[in-house]
Amino acid sequence: TGLRLAAERGFLGRLDGSCETPIAGLATIAGDELWLRGEILRPDGSASVAGELRGPVGDGAAIGQALADDLLGRAGPGFFA
């Protein structure tokens, strides 16, 4: 649970997420691999960007941050505005 939580918190932290930010993230573990799926949405629901990353279980926080960076890069500036 702690390893999955590290990935999800890394993802939310990089996105500066709160309970009011339209962000979804879910980490799962299979063997020694962590799989993180995430999605960001515009506040009005008009657009979304989703993705996933996999990597070693011990790299959860870095995987979360990297996925957040990828989604933000694809969403473009002002996505959450």
mmCIF file of all heavy atoms in Angstrom, residues 6 17 27 29 53 64 73:
data_model
loop_
_atom_site.group_PDB
_atom_site.id
_atom_site.type_symbol
_atom_site.label_atom_id
_atom_site.label_comp_id
_atom_site.label_asym_id
_atom_site.label_seq_id
_atom_site.Cartn_x
_atom_site.Cartn_y
_atom_site.Cartn_z
ATOM 1 N N ALA A 6 2.981 6.090 -2.646
ATOM 2 C CA ALA A 6 4.095 6.970 -3.022
ATOM 3 C C ALA A 6 3.957 7.426 -4.473
ATOM 4 O O ALA A 6 4.197 8.596 -4.799
ATOM 5 C CB ALA A 6 5.425 6.261 -2.810
ATOM 6 N N GLY A 17 -2.327 18.972 -6.878
ATOM 7 C CA GLY A 17 -3.718 18.555 -6.761
ATOM 8 C C GLY A 17 -4.297 18.703 -5.368
ATOM 9 O O GLY A 17 -3.593 18.625 -4.371
ATOM 10 N N ALA A 27 -2.453 3.507 -8.816
ATOM 11 C CA ALA A 27 -1.250 2.679 -8.945
ATOM 12 C C ALA A 27 -1.582 1.244 -8.561
ATOM 13 O O ALA A 27 -2.322 1.000 -7.599
ATOM 14 C CB ALA A 27 -0.143 3.214 -8.046
ATOM 15 N N ILE A 29 0.383 -2.861 -8.405
ATOM 16 C CA ILE A 29 1.662 -3.566 -8.398
ATOM 17 C C ILE A 29 1.443 -4.991 -8.874
ATOM 18 O O ILE A 29 0.526 -5.671 -8.409
ATOM 19 C CB ILE A 29 2.292 -3.562 -6.996
ATOM 20 C CG1 ILE A 29 2.645 -2.131 -6.591
ATOM 21 C CG2 ILE A 29 3.529 -4.457 -6.945
ATOM 22 C CD1 ILE A 29 3.149 -1.988 -5.172
ATOM 23 N N LEU A 53 2.277 4.948 -16.952
ATOM 24 C CA LEU A 53 3.701 4.625 -16.928
ATOM 25 C C LEU A 53 3.892 3.381 -16.069
ATOM 26 O O LEU A 53 3.147 3.162 -15.107
ATOM 27 C CB LEU A 53 4.532 5.764 -16.333
ATOM 28 C CG LEU A 53 4.857 6.958 -17.217
ATOM 29 C CD1 LEU A 53 5.666 7.990 -16.431
ATOM 30 C CD2 LEU A 53 5.645 6.530 -18.440
ATOM 31 N N GLY A 64 5.332 8.709 -10.620
ATOM 32 C CA GLY A 64 4.212 9.622 -10.474
ATOM 33 C C GLY A 64 4.530 11.009 -11.001
ATOM 34 O O GLY A 64 3.727 11.618 -11.714
ATOM 35 N N GLY A 73 2.481 18.342 -20.092
ATOM 36 C CA GLY A 73 3.089 18.709 -21.370
ATOM 37 C C GLY A 73 2.133 18.528 -22.534
ATOM 38 O O GLY A 73 2.077 19.357 -23.450
#
